[in-house]
């Protein structure tokens, strides 16, 4: 029961985090539109999108490496 509540809270936290990240992304686009000249706005938006893609790939890489890493407690029993 406690584990189910923990997993539900983790999922809820991830959803809230995703919404917040999306909000920051939209706000950054609005800031670029407001303060950057119309000639240069596409360049800044492209750089921001590239940074988001690189960050997403990095996070996915970390998550996938962590998932496939063998558990140290299972591999060594401590009895020799």
């Amino acid at each position: 029961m406690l584990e189910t509540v923990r997993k539900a809270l983790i999922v809820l936290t991830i959803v809230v985090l995703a919404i917040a990240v999306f909000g920051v992304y939209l706000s950054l686009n609005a800031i670029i539109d407001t303060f950057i000249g119309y000639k240069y706005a596409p360049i800044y938006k492209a750089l921001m999108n590239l940074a988001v893609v690189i960050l997403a790939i990095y996070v996915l890489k970390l998550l996938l490496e962590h998932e496939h890493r063998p558990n140290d407690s299972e591999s060594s029993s401590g009895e020799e």
Side-chain angles (χ1 to χ4, degrees):
M1 171 78 177
L2 189 60
E3 186 66 24
T4 306
V5 171
R6 184 179 160 276
K7 287 181 182 181
L9 287 174
I10 289 172
V11 169
L12 180 66
T13 304
I14 290 171
V15 168
V16 169
L17 179 64
I19 292 169
V21 168
F22 186 67
V24 169
Y25 180 80
L26 291 177
S27 295
L28 286 173
N29 273 323
I31 289 171
I32 289 172
D33 288 337
T34 302
F35 292 108
I36 305 297
Y38 71 94
K39 289 184 190 178
Y40 303 108
I43 295 170
Y44 283 96
K45 286 184 180 185
L47 291 174
M48 188 182 72
N49 289 336
L50 181 63
V52 169
V53 167
I54 290 170
L55 181 64
I57 289 172
Y58 177 73
V59 169
L60 283 173
K61 180 182 173 223
L62 287 178
L63 290 172
L64 291 174
E65 284 179 353
H66 179 65
E67 185 176 315
H68 294 294
R69 190 177 304 150
N71 193 350
D72 290 336
S73 63
E74 292 177 1
S75 61
S76 62
S77 61
E79 298 175 23
E80 292 190 36

Coordinates of all heavy atoms in Angstrom, one line a residue:
M1 N 0.8 -1.2 0.0 CA 0.0 0.0 0.0 C 0.9 1.3 0.0 O 0.7 2.2 -0.8 CB -0.9 0.0 1.2 CG -1.7 1.2 1.5 SD -3.1 1.4 0.4 CE -3.8 2.8 1.0
L2 N 1.9 1.3 0.9 CA 2.7 2.4 1.0 C 3.6 2.6 -0.3 O 3.8 3.7 -0.7 CB 3.7 2.3 2.2 CG 4.5 3.5 2.6 CD1 3.6 4.7 2.9 CD2 5.4 3.2 3.7
E3 N 4.0 1.5 -0.9 CA 4.7 1.6 -2.1 C 3.9 2.1 -3.3 O 4.3 2.9 -4.1 CB 5.2 0.2 -2.5 CG 6.2 0.1 -3.7 CD 7.5 0.9 -3.5 OE1 7.9 1.0 -2.3 OE2 8.1 1.3 -4.5
T4 N 2.6 1.8 -3.3 CA 1.7 2.3 -4.3 C 1.5 3.8 -4.2 O 1.5 4.5 -5.2 CB 0.3 1.6 -4.2 OG1 0.5 0.2 -4.3 CG2 -0.6 2.0 -5.3
V5 N 1.4 4.3 -2.9 CA 1.2 5.7 -2.7 C 2.5 6.4 -3.1 O 2.5 7.5 -3.8 CB 0.9 6.0 -1.2 CG1 1.0 7.5 -0.9 CG2 -0.4 5.4 -0.8
R6 N 3.6 5.8 -2.8 CA 4.9 6.4 -3.2 C 5.1 6.6 -4.7 O 5.4 7.6 -5.2 CB 6.1 5.6 -2.6 CG 7.4 6.1 -2.9 CD 8.5 5.2 -2.3 NE 9.8 5.4 -2.9 CZ 10.2 4.9 -4.0 NH1 9.5 4.1 -4.7 NH2 11.4 5.2 -4.5
K7 N 4.7 5.5 -5.4 CA 4.8 5.5 -6.9 C 3.8 6.5 -7.5 O 4.1 7.2 -8.4 CB 4.5 4.1 -7.5 CG 5.6 3.2 -7.3 CD 5.3 1.8 -7.9 CE 6.4 0.8 -7.6 NZ 6.1 -0.5 -8.2
A8 N 2.6 6.7 -6.9 CA 1.6 7.7 -7.4 C 2.1 9.1 -7.1 O 2.0 9.9 -8.0 CB 0.3 7.5 -6.6
L9 N 2.8 9.3 -6.0 CA 3.4 10.6 -5.8 C 4.5 11.0 -6.7 O 4.7 12.1 -7.2 CB 3.9 10.7 -4.3 CG 2.8 10.9 -3.3 CD1 3.4 10.8 -1.9 CD2 2.0 12.1 -3.5
I10 N 5.3 9.9 -7.1 CA 6.4 10.1 -8.0 C 5.8 10.5 -9.4 O 6.3 11.4 -10.1 CB 7.3 8.9 -8.1 CG1 8.1 8.8 -6.8 CG2 8.2 8.9 -9.3 CD1 8.9 7.5 -6.7
V11 N 4.8 9.8 -9.8 CA 4.1 10.1 -11.1 C 3.5 11.5 -11.1 O 3.7 12.3 -12.1 CB 3.1 9.0 -11.4 CG1 2.2 9.4 -12.6 CG2 3.7 7.7 -11.7
L12 N 2.8 11.9 -10.0 CA 2.3 13.2 -9.9 C 3.3 14.3 -10.0 O 3.2 15.3 -10.7 CB 1.5 13.3 -8.6 CG 0.8 14.7 -8.4 CD1 -0.3 14.9 -9.4 CD2 0.2 14.7 -7.0
T13 N 4.4 14.0 -9.3 CA 5.6 15.0 -9.3 C 6.1 15.1 -10.7 O 6.5 16.3 -11.1 CB 6.7 14.6 -8.3 OG1 6.1 14.4 -7.0 CG2 7.8 15.5 -8.3
I14 N 6.3 14.1 -11.4 CA 6.8 14.1 -12.8 C 5.9 14.9 -13.7 O 6.3 15.7 -14.5 CB 7.1 12.7 -13.3 CG1 8.3 12.1 -12.6 CG2 7.3 12.7 -14.8 CD1 8.5 10.6 -12.8
V15 N 4.6 14.7 -13.5 CA 3.6 15.4 -14.4 C 3.7 16.9 -14.1 O 3.7 17.7 -15.0 CB 2.2 14.9 -14.1 CG1 1.1 15.8 -14.7 CG2 2.0 13.4 -14.7
V16 N 3.7 17.3 -12.8 CA 3.8 18.7 -12.4 C 5.1 19.3 -13.0 O 5.1 20.4 -13.5 CB 3.7 18.8 -10.9 CG1 4.0 20.3 -10.5 CG2 2.3 18.5 -10.4
L17 N 6.2 18.5 -12.9 CA 7.5 19.0 -13.4 C 7.4 19.2 -14.9 O 7.9 20.2 -15.4 CB 8.6 18.0 -13.0 CG 10.0 18.3 -13.5 CD1 10.5 19.6 -12.9 CD2 10.9 17.2 -13.2
A18 N 6.8 18.3 -15.6 CA 6.7 18.4 -17.1 C 5.9 19.7 -17.4 O 6.2 20.4 -18.4 CB 6.0 17.2 -17.7
I19 N 4.8 19.9 -16.7 CA 4.0 21.1 -17.0 C 4.8 22.4 -16.7 O 4.8 23.3 -17.5 CB 2.7 21.1 -16.1 CG1 1.8 19.9 -16.6 CG2 2.0 22.4 -16.2 CD1 0.6 19.7 -15.7
A20 N 5.6 22.4 -15.6 CA 6.4 23.5 -15.3 C 7.5 23.8 -16.3 O 7.7 24.9 -16.7 CB 7.0 23.4 -13.9
V21 N 8.1 22.7 -16.8 CA 9.1 22.9 -17.8 C 8.5 23.4 -19.1 O 9.1 24.3 -19.8 CB 9.8 21.5 -18.1 CG1 10.7 21.5 -19.3 CG2 10.7 21.1 -16.9
F22 N 7.3 22.9 -19.5 CA 6.7 23.4 -20.7 C 6.3 24.9 -20.5 O 6.5 25.7 -21.4 CB 5.4 22.6 -20.9 CG 4.7 23.0 -22.2 CD1 5.3 22.7 -23.4 CD2 3.5 23.6 -22.2 CE1 4.7 23.0 -24.6 CE2 2.8 23.9 -23.4 CZ 3.4 23.6 -24.6
G23 N 5.9 25.3 -19.3 CA 5.6 26.7 -19.0 C 6.9 27.6 -19.2 O 6.8 28.7 -19.7
V24 N 8.0 27.1 -18.6 CA 9.2 27.9 -18.8 C 9.6 28.0 -20.2 O 10.1 29.0 -20.7 CB 10.3 27.2 -17.9 CG1 11.7 27.8 -18.3 CG2 10.0 27.3 -16.5
Y25 N 9.5 26.9 -21.0 CA 9.8 26.9 -22.4 C 9.0 28.0 -23.1 O 9.5 28.7 -23.9 CB 9.5 25.5 -23.0 CG 9.8 25.4 -24.4 CD1 11.1 25.2 -24.9 CD2 8.8 25.4 -25.4 CE1 11.4 25.1 -26.2 CE2 9.1 25.3 -26.7 CZ 10.4 25.1 -27.1 OH 10.7 25.0 -28.5
L26 N 7.7 28.0 -22.9 CA 6.8 29.0 -23.5 C 7.2 30.4 -23.1 O 7.2 31.3 -23.9 CB 5.3 28.7 -23.2 CG 4.7 27.4 -23.8 CD1 3.3 27.3 -23.4 CD2 4.8 27.5 -25.4
S27 N 7.5 30.6 -21.8 CA 7.9 31.9 -21.3 C 9.2 32.4 -22.0 O 9.3 33.6 -22.3 CB 8.1 31.9 -19.8 OG 6.8 31.6 -19.2
L28 N 10.1 31.5 -22.2 CA 11.4 31.8 -22.8 C 11.1 32.3 -24.3 O 11.7 33.2 -24.8 CB 12.4 30.7 -22.8 CG 13.0 30.5 -21.4 CD1 13.9 29.2 -21.4 CD2 13.9 31.6 -21.0
N29 N 10.2 31.6 -24.9 CA 9.9 32.0 -26.3 C 9.2 33.4 -26.3 O 9.5 34.2 -27.2 CB 8.9 31.0 -26.9 CG 9.6 29.8 -27.6 OD1 10.7 30.0 -28.2 ND2 9.1 28.6 -27.5
A30 N 8.4 33.7 -25.3 CA 7.8 35.0 -25.3 C 8.8 36.1 -25.0 O 8.8 37.2 -25.5 CB 6.7 35.0 -24.2
I31 N 9.8 35.7 -24.1 CA 10.9 36.7 -23.8 C 11.7 37.0 -25.1 O 12.1 38.1 -25.4 CB 11.8 36.2 -22.7 CG1 11.0 36.2 -21.4 CG2 13.1 36.9 -22.6 CD1 11.7 35.5 -20.2
I32 N 12.0 35.9 -25.8 CA 12.7 36.1 -27.1 C 12.0 37.0 -28.0 O 12.5 37.9 -28.7 CB 13.1 34.7 -27.7 CG1 14.1 34.0 -26.9 CG2 13.6 34.9 -29.1 CD1 14.4 32.6 -27.3
D33 N 10.7 36.7 -28.2 CA 9.8 37.6 -29.0 C 9.8 39.0 -28.6 O 9.8 39.9 -29.4 CB 8.4 37.0 -29.1 CG 8.3 35.7 -29.9 OD1 9.2 35.5 -30.7 OD2 7.3 35.0 -29.7
T34 N 9.8 39.3 -27.3 CA 9.7 40.6 -26.8 C 11.0 41.4 -26.9 O 11.0 42.5 -27.3 CB 9.3 40.6 -25.3 OG1 8.1 39.9 -25.2 CG2 9.1 42.0 -24.7
F35 N 12.1 40.8 -26.5 CA 13.4 41.5 -26.4 C 14.4 41.3 -27.6 O 15.3 42.1 -27.6 CB 14.1 41.1 -25.1 CG 13.3 41.6 -23.9 CD1 12.7 40.7 -23.1 CD2 13.3 42.9 -23.6 CE1 12.0 41.1 -21.9 CE2 12.6 43.4 -22.4 CZ 11.9 42.5 -21.6
I36 N 14.2 40.4 -28.4 CA 15.1 40.2 -29.5 C 14.4 40.7 -30.8 O 13.2 40.4 -31.0 CB 15.4 38.7 -29.7 CG1 16.0 38.1 -28.4 CG2 16.3 38.4 -30.8 CD1 17.3 38.7 -27.9
G37 N 15.1 41.3 -31.6 CA 14.6 41.8 -32.9 C 14.0 40.7 -33.8 O 14.5 39.6 -33.7
Y38 N 13.0 41.0 -34.6 CA 12.4 40.0 -35.4 C 13.3 39.3 -36.3 O 13.1 38.2 -36.7 CB 11.2 40.6 -36.2 CG 11.6 41.5 -37.3 CD1 11.7 41.0 -38.6 CD2 11.9 42.9 -37.1 CE1 12.1 41.9 -39.6 CE2 12.2 43.7 -38.1 CZ 12.4 43.2 -39.4 OH 12.7 44.0 -40.4
K39 N 14.4 40.0 -36.7 CA 15.4 39.3 -37.6 C 16.1 38.2 -36.9 O 16.5 37.2 -37.5 CB 16.4 40.4 -38.1 CG 15.9 41.4 -39.0 CD 17.1 42.2 -39.5 CE 16.7 43.4 -40.2 NZ 17.8 44.3 -40.6
Y40 N 16.4 38.4 -35.6 CA 17.3 37.5 -34.9 C 16.5 36.5 -34.0 O 17.1 35.5 -33.5 CB 18.3 38.2 -34.0 CG 19.1 39.2 -34.8 CD1 18.9 40.5 -34.8 CD2 20.1 38.7 -35.7 CE1 19.7 41.4 -35.5 CE2 20.8 39.5 -36.5 CZ 20.6 40.9 -36.4 OH 21.4 41.7 -37.2
A41 N 15.2 36.7 -33.8 CA 14.4 35.8 -33.0 C 14.5 34.3 -33.4 O 14.6 33.4 -32.5 CB 13.0 36.3 -32.9
P42 N 14.4 34.0 -34.7 CA 14.5 32.6 -35.1 C 15.8 31.9 -34.7 O 15.9 30.8 -34.4 CB 14.3 32.6 -36.6 CG 13.6 33.9 -36.9 CD 14.0 34.8 -35.8
I43 N 16.9 32.7 -34.8 CA 18.2 32.2 -34.4 C 18.2 31.8 -32.9 O 18.6 30.7 -32.5 CB 19.3 33.2 -34.7 CG1 19.4 33.4 -36.2 CG2 20.7 32.7 -34.2 CD1 20.3 34.5 -36.6
Y44 N 17.7 32.7 -32.1 CA 17.7 32.4 -30.6 C 16.8 31.3 -30.3 O 17.0 30.4 -29.4 CB 17.3 33.7 -29.8 CG 18.4 34.7 -29.7 CD1 18.6 35.7 -30.6 CD2 19.4 34.5 -28.7 CE1 19.6 36.6 -30.5 CE2 20.5 35.4 -28.6 CZ 20.6 36.5 -29.5 OH 21.6 37.4 -29.4
K45 N 15.6 31.2 -31.0 CA 14.7 30.1 -30.8 C 15.3 28.8 -31.2 O 15.1 27.7 -30.5 CB 13.4 30.3 -31.5 CG 12.5 31.4 -30.8 CD 11.2 31.6 -31.5 CE 10.4 32.6 -30.8 NZ 9.0 32.7 -31.4
A46 N 16.0 28.8 -32.3 CA 16.7 27.5 -32.7 C 17.7 27.1 -31.7 O 17.9 25.9 -31.4 CB 17.3 27.8 -34.1
L47 N 18.5 28.1 -31.2 CA 19.5 27.7 -30.2 C 18.9 27.2 -28.9 O 19.4 26.2 -28.3 CB 20.4 28.9 -29.9 CG 21.3 29.4 -31.0 CD1 22.0 30.7 -30.7 CD2 22.3 28.3 -31.4
M48 N 17.8 27.8 -28.5 CA 17.1 27.3 -27.3 C 16.5 25.9 -27.6 O 16.6 25.0 -26.7 CB 15.9 28.3 -26.9 CG 15.3 27.9 -25.6 SD 14.0 28.9 -25.1 CE 12.7 28.4 -26.2
N49 N 15.9 25.7 -28.7 CA 15.4 24.3 -29.0 C 16.5 23.3 -29.1 O 16.4 22.2 -28.6 CB 14.6 24.3 -30.3 CG 13.3 25.1 -30.2 OD1 12.8 25.2 -29.2 ND2 12.9 25.6 -31.4
L50 N 17.7 23.7 -29.6 CA 18.8 22.8 -29.7 C 19.3 22.4 -28.2 O 19.6 21.3 -27.9 CB 19.9 23.4 -30.5 CG 21.2 22.6 -30.6 CD1 20.9 21.3 -31.4 CD2 22.3 23.4 -31.3
A51 N 19.3 23.4 -27.4 CA 19.7 23.2 -26.0 C 18.7 22.2 -25.3 O 19.1 21.4 -24.5 CB 19.8 24.5 -25.2
V52 N 17.4 22.4 -25.6 CA 16.4 21.5 -25.0 C 16.6 20.1 -25.5 O 16.5 19.1 -24.7 CB 15.0 22.0 -25.3 CG1 13.9 21.0 -24.9 CG2 14.7 23.3 -24.5
V53 N 16.9 19.9 -26.8 CA 17.1 18.6 -27.3 C 18.3 17.9 -26.7 O 18.3 16.8 -26.3 CB 17.2 18.7 -28.9 CG1 17.8 17.4 -29.5 CG2 15.9 19.0 -29.5
I54 N 19.4 18.7 -26.6 CA 20.6 18.1 -26.0 C 20.4 17.7 -24.6 O 20.8 16.7 -24.1 CB 21.8 19.2 -26.1 CG1 22.2 19.3 -27.6 CG2 23.0 18.8 -25.3 CD1 23.2 20.4 -27.9
L55 N 19.7 18.6 -23.8 CA 19.4 18.3 -22.4 C 18.5 17.0 -22.3 O 18.8 16.1 -21.5 CB 18.7 19.4 -21.7 CG 18.4 19.3 -20.3 CD1 19.6 19.1 -19.4 CD2 17.6 20.4 -19.8
A56 N 17.5 16.9 -23.2 CA 16.6 15.7 -23.1 C 17.4 14.5 -23.5 O 17.2 13.4 -22.8 CB 15.5 15.9 -24.1
I57 N 18.3 14.5 -24.5 CA 19.1 13.3 -24.8 C 20.0 12.9 -23.7 O 20.1 11.8 -23.3 CB 19.9 13.6 -26.1 CG1 18.9 13.7 -27.3 CG2 21.0 12.5 -26.3 CD1 19.6 14.1 -28.6
Y58 N 20.6 13.9 -23.0 CA 21.5 13.7 -21.9 C 20.7 13.0 -20.7 O 21.2 12.0 -20.1 CB 22.1 15.0 -21.4 CG 23.0 14.8 -20.2 CD1 24.2 14.2 -20.3 CD2 22.6 15.3 -18.9 CE1 25.0 14.0 -19.2 CE2 23.4 15.1 -17.8 CZ 24.6 14.5 -17.9 OH 25.4 14.3 -16.8
V59 N 19.5 13.5 -20.4 CA 18.7 12.9 -19.3 C 18.3 11.5 -19.7 O 18.4 10.6 -18.8 CB 17.5 13.8 -19.0 CG1 16.6 13.1 -18.1 CG2 18.0 15.1 -18.4
L60 N 17.9 11.3 -20.9 CA 17.5 9.9 -21.3 C 18.7 9.0 -21.2 O 18.5 7.8 -20.8 CB 16.9 10.0 -22.7 CG 15.5 10.5 -22.9 CD1 15.2 10.6 -24.4 CD2 14.5 9.6 -22.2
K61 N 19.8 9.5 -21.6 CA 21.0 8.6 -21.6 C 21.3 8.2 -20.1 O 21.6 7.1 -19.8 CB 22.2 9.4 -22.1 CG 23.5 8.6 -22.1 CD 24.7 9.4 -22.7 CE 25.9 8.6 -22.5 NZ 27.0 9.4 -22.0
L62 N 21.2 9.2 -19.2 CA 21.4 8.9 -17.8 C 20.4 7.9 -17.3 O 20.8 7.0 -16.5 CB 21.4 10.2 -16.9 CG 22.6 11.1 -17.1 CD1 22.3 12.4 -16.2 CD2 23.8 10.5 -16.6
L63 N 19.2 8.1 -17.6 CA 18.1 7.2 -17.1 C 18.3 5.8 -17.7 O 18.1 4.8 -17.0 CB 16.7 7.7 -17.5 CG 16.3 9.0 -16.8 CD1 15.0 9.5 -17.4 CD2 16.1 8.7 -15.3
L64 N 18.7 5.7 -19.0 CA 18.8 4.3 -19.6 C 20.1 3.6 -19.0 O 20.1 2.4 -18.8 CB 18.9 4.5 -21.1 CG 17.6 4.8 -21.8 CD1 17.8 5.1 -23.2 CD2 16.5 3.8 -21.5
E65 N 21.2 4.4 -18.8 CA 22.3 3.8 -18.2 C 22.0 3.3 -16.8 O 22.5 2.2 -16.4 CB 23.5 4.8 -18.1 CG 24.2 5.0 -19.4 CD 25.3 6.0 -19.4 OE1 25.4 6.7 -18.3 OE2 26.0 6.2 -20.4
H66 N 21.3 4.1 -16.0 CA 20.9 3.7 -14.6 C 20.1 2.5 -14.6 O 20.2 1.6 -13.8 CB 20.2 4.9 -13.9 CG 19.8 4.5 -12.5 ND1 20.7 4.3 -11.5 CD2 18.6 4.4 -12.0 CE1 20.1 4.0 -10.4 NE2 18.8 4.1 -10.7
E67 N 19.2 2.3 -15.6 CA 18.3 1.2 -15.7 C 19.0 -0.1 -16.0 O 18.7 -1.2 -15.5 CB 17.2 1.5 -16.8 CG 16.2 0.4 -16.9 CD 15.1 0.8 -17.8 OE1 14.6 2.0 -17.8 OE2 14.7 -0.1 -18.7
H68 N 20.1 0.0 -16.9 CA 20.8 -1.2 -17.3 C 22.0 -1.5 -16.5 O 22.7 -2.5 -16.7 CB 21.2 -1.1 -18.8 CG 20.0 -1.0 -19.7 ND1 19.2 -2.1 -19.9 CD2 19.5 0.0 -20.5 CE1 18.2 -1.7 -20.7 NE2 18.4 -0.5 -21.1
R69 N 22.3 -0.7 -15.5 CA 23.4 -0.9 -14.6 C 23.1 -2.1 -13.6 O 22.0 -2.1 -13.0 CB 23.8 0.3 -13.9 CG 25.1 0.3 -13.1 CD 25.4 1.6 -12.4 NE 25.4 2.6 -13.4 CZ 25.1 3.9 -13.1 NH1 24.7 4.2 -11.9 NH2 25.1 4.8 -14.1
P70 N 24.0 -3.1 -13.5 CA 23.7 -4.1 -12.5 C 23.7 -3.6 -11.1 O 24.5 -2.7 -10.8 CB 24.9 -5.1 -12.7 CG 25.9 -4.4 -13.4 CD 25.3 -3.2 -14.2
N71 N 22.9 -4.2 -10.3 CA 22.7 -3.8 -8.9 C 23.9 -4.3 -8.1 O 24.1 -5.5 -8.1 CB 21.4 -4.2 -8.4 CG 21.1 -3.6 -7.0 OD1 21.9 -2.9 -6.4 ND2 19.8 -3.8 -6.6
D72 N 24.6 -3.5 -7.4 CA 25.8 -3.9 -6.6 C 25.4 -4.9 -5.5 O 26.2 -5.8 -5.2 CB 26.6 -2.7 -6.1 CG 27.2 -1.9 -7.1 OD1 27.5 -2.5 -8.2 OD2 27.5 -0.7 -6.9
S73 N 24.3 -4.7 -4.9 CA 23.9 -5.5 -3.8 C 23.5 -7.0 -4.2 O 23.7 -7.9 -3.5 CB 22.7 -4.9 -3.0 OG 21.6 -4.9 -3.9
E74 N 23.1 -7.1 -5.5 CA 22.8 -8.4 -6.0 C 24.0 -9.2 -6.5 O 24.1 -10.4 -6.4 CB 21.8 -8.3 -7.1 CG 20.4 -7.9 -6.7 CD 19.5 -7.7 -7.9 OE1 19.9 -8.0 -9.0 OE2 18.3 -7.3 -7.6
S75 N 25.0 -8.4 -7.0 CA 26.2 -9.1 -7.6 C 27.1 -9.6 -6.6 O 27.9 -10.5 -6.8 CB 26.9 -8.1 -8.6 OG 27.3 -7.0 -7.9
S76 N 27.2 -8.9 -5.4 CA 28.1 -9.4 -4.4 C 27.3 -9.7 -3.1 O 26.7 -8.8 -2.5 CB 29.2 -8.3 -4.1 OG 28.6 -7.2 -3.6
S77 N 27.4 -10.9 -2.7 CA 26.7 -11.3 -1.5 C 27.4 -11.0 -0.2 O 26.8 -11.1 0.8 CB 26.3 -12.8 -1.6 OG 27.5 -13.6 -1.6
G78 N 28.7 -10.8 -0.3 CA 29.5 -10.4 0.9 C 30.0 -11.7 1.6 O 30.7 -11.6 2.5
E79 N 29.7 -12.9 1.0 CA 30.2 -14.1 1.6 C 31.3 -14.6 0.8 O 31.1 -14.9 -0.4 CB 29.1 -15.1 1.7 CG 27.9 -14.7 2.6 CD 26.8 -15.7 2.5 OE1 27.1 -16.9 2.2 OE2 25.7 -15.3 2.8
E80 N 32.5 -14.8 1.4 CA 33.6 -15.3 0.6 C 34.4 -16.3 1.4 O 34.4 -16.4 2.5 CB 34.6 -14.2 0.2 CG 33.9 -13.3 -0.8 CD 34.9 -12.3 -1.5 OE1 36.1 -12.7 -1.7 OE2 34.5 -11.2 -1.7

